[in-house]
Amino acid sequence: MAKLDTFVMKIALIQQNFYKSKKKTIKKTILAIKKASKNNAKLIVLQELHQTQYFCQSEDVNNFDLASSWEEDKIFWSKVAKKYKVVLVTSLFEKRATGLYHNSAVVFEKDGSIAGIYRKMHIPDDPGFYEKFYFTPGDLGFKPIKTSVGTLGVLVCWDQWYPEAARIMTLSGADILIYPTAIGWFRADSKEEKRKQLEAWIAVQRGHAIANTLPVVTVNRVGFEKDQSGQLDGIKFWGNSFVFDAQGKLLVQGSSKKEQLLYCDIDMKKSENIRRWWPFLRDRRVECYKKISKRYID
Amino acid sequence: MAKLDTFVMKIALIQQNFYKSKKKTIKKTILAIKKASKNNAKLIVLQELHQTQYFCQSEDVNNFDLASSWEEDKIFWSKVAKKYKVVLVTSLFEKRATGLYHNSAVVFEKDGSIAGIYRKMHIPDDPGFYEKFYFTPGDLGFKPIKTSVGTLGVLVCWDQWYPEAARIMTLSGADILIYPTAIGWFRADSKEEKRKQLEAWIAVQRGHAIANTLPVVTVNRVGFEKDQSGQLDGIKFWGNSFVFDAQGKLLVQGSSKKEQLLYCDIDMKKSENIRRWWPFLRDRRVECYKKISKRYID
């Protein structure tokens, strides 16, 4: 066999707490980005809605104020990406128009330009995760974002439970799947139930890595955040940010308890090798998949 | 919350060797079925092409003889299902017409009637697994089979790498996903590579369980089988038959070395509970999945 290309890239995952204010939280994020850049990370991934608290624990119209800085936020993170010369995956609260909001991942090129935007497509709505109140489901589809470090299949949190999203990103040329995330436990659940939830969350994404022969990078919040409305206890975000390689091998996994700046070397060309031996894309029965576009096959 | 129904059913997985002849092999299978029935298993799943050796290690036209008993095979297994009063998932070499063959799972009802047939949809072709030579890809689609113990989403081996297959079975009302399988190692691969292959195989199917909130039952061959053509060493089928519950919890896992009759109690109604808390089906973006029917999105 001819020697295949490799392209090993260092990426950084910033798993962090919320520090009671946007300003303080961002300060911590910037410190971590600075450090990661110094340590030669070329791609840095932040957690879901990393600027603020996870405000979707309750339905409060005042929280729409948090999106009012959308235009300035983009300029701010653009400068950060440029300053530290990194491709940066951010997760911002997008105000698209008055009364129209999205949960959007904005990817910045290392020169500060916007490489692309992904608007979260699958929006959850569960006690403590009232996202349908805040976010209109994305209308940009599952389009990977081209950058200088590869084509990034950026998806967000709840998307991670949907094989369809990972597959369409793959078919559209993604070199890697990336999920900024905010998921955690409720105190009331048993230890066993908590373990099952965490394991299922990791396992379903490992499945995407294997089925699509792509590395998967997921960055999750960590730390306890109170429900501001007082209706629920609050959420203990479970951290555990991770990277799987294109064969589903775990390369790194974060703590469930503390902030971490995690590094991982990914061979962005490994899929070439794996897919020669596991040619799943070759044998897809594309003429028989139409029913996936049905709500249910009654 | 209202108390939800449960329906706990004992199933049996028969993971076995090939005993150099169809007759001897079937004799062993029947003994295991008899025992499982006696021990109250209501559903019994056999491995892929369980009557014979895994003949796809080489391309040999004489192997088509193995399908000449297709009509008698169906009658034979029908009688077995009826005698032992079990729903039985078999995997047979179907001769549909002269020169037209399928790799087909035939499901028998406990009264011996045929509940349904699934023709393997995704056909592999790799060194030692020359299935495209023998089997025409199935044309019955991904239709689950209704039985007295539930609606069975029966798929076969290579199908297990395709999230599309699991998803369409789910949307079509499957209560459980079932994969008769024949997969193994080549001696030449490193221990590390073998471990990665086995883990990926388990993990991708665990992903299907979680994404679709359904139990997954996979029965694999075990034991070494020589390549009759002498071109390759042969395959050491890796066993490890397993069951995951609808939340991806491992309920049972077989040995990689020996024959086993494995039992598992499955709550066929557990999905009702899990899906209330993890309502993935609710939030699918069905209007945005059409591209899954493309070979690639160039």
Side-chain angles (χ1 to χ4, degrees):
Chain A
M1 190 167 87
K3 199 164 157 43
L4 298 171
D5 287 349
T6 58
F7 170 43
V8 177
M9 175 176 65
K10 188 183 246 187
I11 66 168
L13 296 73
I14 300 177
Q15 164 179 308
Q16 68 174 115
N17 295 318
F18 171 61
Y19 282 91
K20 307 268 199 261
S21 84
K22 181 176 171 180
K23 201 177 157 186
K24 282 188 199 160
T25 304
I26 288 180
K27 204 175 158 188
K28 289 276 189 179
T29 312
I30 302 289
L31 281 173
I33 291 173
K34 186 178 175 181
K35 192 172 173 188
S37 166
K38 211 173 159 184
N39 284 325
N40 215 27
K42 300 299 178 199
L43 169 67
I44 298 178
V45 182
L46 305 182
Q47 67 204 24
E48 189 179 14
L49 301 168
H50 51 83
Q51 298 192 120
T52 63
Q53 71 274 32
Y54 180 71
F55 53 85
C56 315
Q57 289 202 56
S58 59
E59 302 195 355
D60 181 347
V61 291
N62 292 315
N63 283 332
F64 288 111
D65 288 346
L66 298 171
S68 60
S69 56
W70 160 245
E71 293 300 335
E72 297 97 80
D73 290 343
K74 280 188 292 180
I75 293 166
F76 178 85
W77 294 104
S78 155
K79 287 181 182 166
V80 172
K82 188 177 177 180
K83 180 169 181 187
Y84 296 108
K85 297 188 186 64
V86 290
V87 174
L88 183 65
V89 179
T90 65
S91 168
L92 306 173
F93 190 8
E94 174 180 0
K95 182 171 185 174
R96 188 170 173 188
T98 303
L100 180 57
Y101 302 85
H102 296 287
N103 183 330
S104 298
V106 184
V107 178
F108 297 92
E109 196 36 272
K110 59 187 176 186
D111 65 2
S113 61
I114 290 181
I117 295 180
Y118 168 78
R119 293 188 179 126
K120 187 172 182 174
M121 292 286 282
H122 298 96
I123 307 295
D125 191 291
D126 301 296
F129 295 87
Y130 299 106
E131 295 198 19
K132 289 195 200 297
F133 177 76
Y134 293 104
F135 310 123
T136 291
D139 57 354
L140 297 175
F142 304 102
K143 292 213 185 84
I145 295 169
K146 288 194 179 178
T147 74
S148 57
V149 296
T151 301
L152 313 184
V154 178
L155 295 156
V156 177
C157 202
W158 194 234
D159 292 322
Q160 61 210 174
W161 302 94
Y162 295 84
E164 294 90 342
R167 185 61 111 197
I168 297 175
M169 284 295 189
T170 304
L171 296 177
S172 302
D175 295 318
I176 186 170
L177 299 171
I178 294 173
Y179 297 91
T181 300
I183 190 168
W185 292 300
F186 291 112
R187 216 174 295 181
D189 284 327
S190 69
K191 208 171 162 181
E192 162 74 1
E193 177 58 28
K194 285 176 182 167
R195 198 182 50 74
K196 277 196 288 185
Q197 290 175 3
L198 173 61
E199 282 191 10
W201 174 75
I202 294 171
V204 77
Q205 294 175 83
R206 188 180 187 194
H208 302 330
I210 296 162
N212 295 293
T213 345
L214 286 182
V216 171
V217 175
T218 294
V219 182
N220 188 31
R221 274 178 189 253
V222 73
F224 180 76
E225 294 181 29
K226 264 172 72 168
D227 172 8
Q228 298 302 321
S229 77
Q231 288 196 316
L232 298 166
D233 263 1
I235 302 172
K236 188 176 179 320
F237 292 97
W238 68 43
N240 275 281
S241 302
F242 60 78
V243 180
F244 282 106
D245 81 0
Q247 208 174 357
K249 184 182 171 188
L250 185 67
L251 299 181
V252 72
Q253 184 171 3
S255 154
S256 60
K257 291 183 181 157
K258 62 176 203 277
E259 285 198 328
Q260 276 176 318
L261 168 54
L262 297 161
Y263 295 102
C264 187
D265 286 326
I266 297 186
D267 180 358
M268 296 288 282
K269 298 281 185 195
K270 190 173 180 184
S271 305
E272 174 64 40
N273 187 16
I274 307 290
R275 285 188 191 169
R276 287 180 178 213
W277 291 102
W278 297 94
F280 306 141
L281 293 189
R282 180 191 65 192
D283 297 330
R284 293 176 71 241
R285 297 293 306 276
V286 293
E287 74 281 20
C288 305
Y289 296 157
K290 290 204 175 57
K291 288 180 178 172
I292 280 188
S293 296
K294 291 203 156 206
R295 181 64 66 200
Y296 199 74
I297 304 159
D298 305 287
Chain B
M1 190 169 87
K3 197 164 156 44
L4 298 172
D5 287 349
T6 58
F7 170 44
V8 177
M9 176 176 65
K10 187 182 248 188
I11 66 167
L13 296 74
I14 301 177
Q15 165 180 308
Q16 67 173 115
N17 296 318
F18 170 61
Y19 282 91
K20 307 267 198 255
S21 84
K22 180 175 171 181
K23 201 176 158 186
K24 282 187 198 160
T25 304
I26 288 181
K27 204 174 157 187
K28 289 277 188 177
T29 313
I30 301 291
L31 281 174
I33 291 174
K34 186 178 174 181
K35 192 172 173 189
S37 166
K38 211 171 159 186
N39 283 324
N40 216 27
K42 300 300 179 199
L43 169 67
I44 298 178
V45 181
L46 305 182
Q47 67 204 24
E48 189 180 13
L49 301 169
H50 51 83
Q51 298 192 121
T52 65
Q53 71 274 33
Y54 179 72
F55 53 85
C56 315
Q57 289 201 58
S58 59
E59 301 194 357
D60 181 347
V61 290
N62 292 315
N63 283 332
F64 288 111
D65 287 346
L66 298 171
S68 59
S69 57
W70 160 245
E71 293 300 335
E72 297 97 80
D73 289 344
K74 280 188 292 180
I75 293 167
F76 179 85
W77 293 105
S78 155
K79 286 180 182 167
V80 172
K82 187 175 177 182
K83 180 169 179 186
Y84 296 107
K85 296 188 188 64
V86 291
V87 174
L88 183 64
V89 179
T90 65
S91 168
L92 306 173
F93 190 8
E94 175 181 1
K95 181 171 186 173
R96 189 171 172 188
T98 303
L100 180 57
Y101 302 86
H102 295 287
N103 183 331
S104 299
V106 184
V107 179
F108 297 92
E109 197 34 274
K110 61 187 176 186
D111 65 3
S113 61
I114 290 181
I117 295 180
Y118 168 79
R119 293 189 178 125
K120 188 172 182 174
M121 292 286 282
H122 298 95
I123 308 293
D125 191 293
D126 301 296
F129 295 86
Y130 299 106
E131 296 199 18
K132 288 195 200 298
F133 177 76
Y134 293 104
F135 311 124
T136 292
D139 57 354
L140 297 175
F142 304 101
K143 293 213 186 82
I145 295 168
K146 288 194 179 176
T147 74
S148 57
V149 295
T151 301
L152 314 184
V154 178
L155 295 157
V156 177
C157 202
W158 194 235
D159 292 323
Q160 60 210 178
W161 302 94
Y162 294 84
E164 294 91 343
R167 185 61 111 196
I168 296 175
M169 283 295 189
T170 304
L171 296 177
S172 302
D175 295 318
I176 185 170
L177 299 172
I178 295 174
Y179 297 91
T181 299
I183 191 168
W185 293 300
F186 292 111
R187 217 174 292 179
D189 284 327
S190 69
K191 207 172 163 182
E192 162 73 1
E193 177 58 30
K194 285 176 181 166
R195 199 184 48 75
K196 277 196 287 183
Q197 290 175 4
L198 173 62
E199 282 192 10
W201 174 75
I202 294 170
V204 77
Q205 295 175 81
R206 189 180 187 194
H208 302 330
I210 297 162
N212 295 293
T213 344
L214 285 181
V216 171
V217 176
T218 295
V219 182
N220 188 30
R221 268 176 196 257
V222 74
F224 180 75
E225 294 182 28
K226 264 171 71 171
D227 172 9
Q228 297 301 320
S229 76
Q231 288 195 317
L232 297 166
D233 263 1
I235 302 171
K236 190 178 177 319
F237 292 97
W238 69 43
N240 274 282
S241 302
F242 59 78
V243 180
F244 282 106
D245 81 0
Q247 208 174 356
K249 184 183 170 187
L250 185 65
L251 299 181
V252 71
Q253 183 171 2
S255 155
S256 61
K257 290 183 180 157
K258 62 177 204 277
E259 286 198 328
Q260 275 177 318
L261 168 55
L262 298 162
Y263 295 102
C264 187
D265 287 326
I266 297 186
D267 180 358
M268 296 288 283
K269 298 281 185 195
K270 190 172 180 185
S271 305
E272 175 65 40
N273 187 18
I274 308 290
R275 286 188 191 169
R276 286 179 179 214
W277 292 100
W278 297 94
F280 306 140
L281 293 189
R282 181 191 64 192
D283 296 331
R284 295 176 70 242
R285 295 294 306 276
V286 293
E287 74 281 21
C288 305
Y289 296 157
K290 289 203 175 58
K291 288 180 178 172
I292 281 188
S293 296
K294 290 202 157 209
R295 181 64 66 199
Y296 200 72
I297 303 158
D298 305 286

